Amino acid sequence: MTTLTNYARRAVRERMSSALLAPLPTEIDRRLLDQVRHASGTPLAAPPPGSGLLPVLGDQGLPGLGRTLEYIRFGSEFTRARFERYGPVSWTGFLGERVVQVAGPEATHAVLTNADKAFSQAGWRFLIDNFFHRGLMLLDFDEHRFHRRVMQEAFTAERLRGYTDETVACVRETVPTWRQDAPIRLYPALKSLTLDVATRVFMNERPGPEAEEVNKAFVDCVRAASSIVKWDLPGTRWHAGLRGRRVLERYFQANIAAKRASNGADLFSALCQARTPDGETFSDDDVINHMIFLMMAAHDTSTITSSAAAYLLGANPEWQEQARAESIALGDAPPDRAALESLDTLNRVIKESLRLIAPVPVVMRRTVADTAVCGHHIPAGQLIMVAGAVNHFDPSCWSEPDTFDPDRFAEPRREDKNHRDAWIPFGGGVHKCIGMLFGSLEVTAIMHEMLRAHRWSVDPAYRPRWDNTSLPVPADGLLMHLRPLH
């Protein structure tokens, strides 16, 4: 009975869609976004007298919820619509607070470089601290610099070589086994794979009951971070996430002594053993907090990027065949880092996928002092949402930005070089993703093996709807039919 109950709860939590994402006629969606584009703006706060600064204009949306529901439904289309209406700096209601949206290359650059130290990571803590407490992304200033310096020892070239070899082995065991006799939901298959990669590469665990419990705990923590109901009530995402956090803490605490004593090649061991030339190391609590955060960051973003690339290759078969030719030409030997990086077409496809469907479309900050962005006054204590995915569609940087065109990343075009913050799927400034190189190699390994094992296509009229409750996830699971190459 317990197993059946757990299965039912999991089925509810892992639903493929919701009322907020139910398909509507295109005209209705257009009108909903037009309401955003034509909202009446009011000032967030009066600028200091004589400052010459402008107020931030915006609108509340619904009482309490603000524009949360529109963001869940439309994601980057919503943030783009606000950018069109208000420009690079605006405000709206979001999850019970007023949040300032910052978008566009210049405004984004001002916040992410943080020259006046006015922007803290407390914006992330507002959303996810209960589940990813003291992860690297949640730390500030000198403390962040210290933790990043130690963590860098776990991402050396030698460590990355070992992580990549393990990833390729795991991918090769799994991807060819995906069924070709009937359609599959590709997103859950990819999520299962990236969780297996994470437990294998990061913890040196293999499939089994304990690994399954750990994987479920990670999923529950990720889903809980976007809860609208933020109370510890049975049956809610928040309750499941708090339980998941306790499971993860117990697991890592129980294994940390053995990892410190080992000479393992997995990330868990690497963090336990990390020591800078100055002798700086992590405490047990540091290791536990970083492992919980890194496991979440690694598997979720890789799943989304792989899903986006698979969809776009299915919708653009000429690019799929071009990428496949390069993958087949690479031969049957397991690819190392250099081989994966040599797949020019595939790497451009992945970059374009990251542009069109950014796995982390916004990053959060909170001001610790009065500041200004692009001439607009922002008061201290203000929640900030940096909508970097908006930059990926800026026509001043990108030609025909809504069009799938991997050649925009090829020489001599290199449209991503038109502004240093035109393309920022991994964030920017001192908080740029520390694992972005490994993540890129993991996605390349997955797509390379898919190209070698399967051929796939999607209906020309099919457009996946992305659920933006947390990170963008295809609401229908990304239904695809994989077929043999010959």
Side-chain angles (χ1 to χ4, degrees):
M1 181 61 71
T2 300
T3 301
L4 183 59
T5 301
N6 289 340
Y7 177 84
R9 286 175 177 168
R10 186 164 65 248
V12 170
R13 293 191 187 114
E14 295 177 358
R15 66 194 187 284
M16 289 299 174
S17 188
S18 71
L20 290 177
L21 298 162
L24 293 173
T26 302
E27 178 63 19
I28 293 179
D29 275 344
R30 186 188 65 78
R31 289 181 182 177
L32 290 171
L33 285 172
D34 279 347
Q35 290 178 3
V36 175
R37 294 186 179 97
H38 298 106
S40 298
T42 59
L44 173 70
S51 66
L53 297 174
L54 299 170
V56 176
L57 298 181
D59 57 275
Q60 168 63 32
L62 294 173
L65 285 174
R67 297 283 189 180
T68 305
L69 303 183
E70 287 100 322
Y71 180 77
I72 290 173
R73 182 170 183 83
F74 295 111
S76 294
E77 288 186 271
F78 168 77
T79 51
R80 290 174 68 186
R82 294 196 64 78
F83 181 71
E84 292 171 22
R85 167 64 182 89
Y86 293 109
V89 188
S90 63
W91 73 269
T92 192
F94 183 71
L95 289 176
E97 279 209 38
R98 287 185 169 189
V99 59
V100 168
Q101 173 181 304
V102 172
E106 291 301 324
T108 298
H109 183 72
V111 175
L112 296 185
T113 54
N114 200 13
D116 61 355
K117 301 290 192 293
F119 300 97
S120 82
Q121 298 303 105
W124 278 124
R125 293 195 285 274
F126 162 74
L127 291 175
I128 65 175
D129 189 59
N130 286 278
F131 313 103
F132 301 105
H133 181 62
R134 293 188 59 76
L136 185 66
M137 190 176 71
L138 280 67
L139 302 179
D140 274 316
F141 309 122
D142 289 345
E143 187 176 41
H144 170 262
R145 187 160 44 249
F146 161 73
H147 281 257
R148 192 177 180 100
R149 187 165 57 240
V150 178
M151 191 176 292
Q152 198 65 56
E153 298 300 308
F155 288 94
T156 62
E158 182 178 356
R159 290 285 188 184
L160 279 171
R161 187 180 307 113
Y163 302 159
T164 302
D165 290 346
E166 282 292 331
T167 297
V168 168
C170 187
V171 167
R172 287 203 154 195
E173 290 171 9
T174 302
V175 171
T177 67
W178 289 342
R179 66 183 305 170
Q180 297 178 329
D181 60 339
I184 68 167
R185 295 191 185 276
L186 190 62
Y187 176 82
L190 286 166
K191 189 170 185 64
S192 177
L193 171 59
T194 59
L195 278 167
D196 286 346
V197 168
T199 53
R200 183 160 165 172
V201 173
F202 287 11
M203 302 186 300
N204 195 29
E205 288 284 355
R206 294 301 186 268
E210 186 173 46
E212 176 67 22
E213 183 183 25
V214 168
N215 286 351
K216 181 182 180 301
F218 278 114
V219 172
D220 286 343
C221 285
V222 171
R223 292 175 65 82
S226 60
S227 296
I228 294 175
V229 177
K230 298 182 182 297
W231 295 288
D232 187 9
L233 301 174
T236 64
R237 288 184 175 187
W238 194 264
H239 178 80
L242 293 175
R243 177 192 172 279
R245 172 76 192 196
R246 292 192 294 270
V247 168
L248 297 175
E249 289 175 346
R250 287 196 298 269
Y251 170 83
F252 288 116
Q253 186 64 63
N255 287 279
I256 201 165
K259 291 293 183 179
R260 285 199 183 281
S262 75
N263 192 29
D266 56 283
L267 182 65
F268 191 4
S269 297
L271 290 181
C272 288
Q273 299 154 17
R275 180 181 296 273
T276 69
D278 296 329
E280 298 165 315
T281 62
F282 283 143
S283 70
D284 285 5
D285 284 345
D286 291 336
V287 172
I288 292 168
N289 290 328
H290 288 315
M291 280 301 300
I292 292 173
F293 173 76
L294 288 170
M295 283 286 292
M296 175 276 293
H299 88 261
D300 255 18
T301 52
S302 295
T303 304
I304 294 164
T305 305
S306 301
S307 298
Y311 161 67
L312 290 165
L313 285 174
N316 297 274
E318 69 283 3
W319 280 100
Q320 185 180 151
E321 292 305 324
Q322 184 176 326
R324 178 174 290 108
E326 291 182 8
S327 283
I328 291 174
L330 202 59
D332 291 331
D336 58 11
R337 173 180 170 181
L340 292 172
E341 290 178 338
S342 75
L343 296 168
D344 180 62
T345 297
L346 180 55
N347 279 289
R348 282 187 283 124
V349 166
I350 292 170
K351 287 180 178 179
E352 179 72 336
S353 303
L354 285 163
R355 184 185 73 84
L356 289 169
I357 307 166
V360 185
V362 302
V363 298
M364 306 302 293
R365 299 289 189 269
R366 193 181 289 277
T367 53
V368 295
D370 286 3
T371 188
V373 174
C374 292
H376 291 78
H377 167 66
I378 303 177
Q382 179 61 55
L383 187 63
I384 307 291
M385 180 171 72
V386 183
V390 172
N391 304 14
H392 296 179
F393 297 90
D394 189 326
S396 69
C397 299
W398 309 95
S399 59
E400 300 185 57
D402 287 289
T403 302
F404 175 73
D405 181 9
D407 279 339
R408 68 176 80 248
F409 289 93
E411 300 292 353
R413 283 175 65 184
R414 289 308 301 270
E415 293 181 359
D416 55 309
K417 299 296 184 182
N418 286 334
H419 190 287
R420 64 180 296 176
D421 288 287
W423 186 74
I424 51 170
F426 303 104
V430 297
H431 284 90
K432 193 170 187 177
C433 176
I434 196 170
M436 64 181 182
L437 182 52
F438 169 70
S440 296
L441 291 169
E442 179 184 8
V443 172
T444 306
I446 291 170
M447 298 313 303
H448 169 64
E449 197 60 35
M450 279 190 68
L451 289 164
R452 294 177 72 250
H454 309 284
R455 179 175 276 110
W456 65 96
S457 61
V458 299
D459 188 299
Y462 174 60
R463 299 289 185 275
R465 181 175 290 281
W466 297 86
D467 179 346
N468 298 282
T469 304
S470 51
L471 302 179
V473 170
D476 66 352
L478 206 61
L479 194 64
M480 286 194 181
H481 196 159
L482 307 180
R483 295 179 173 84
L485 293 187
H486 305 292

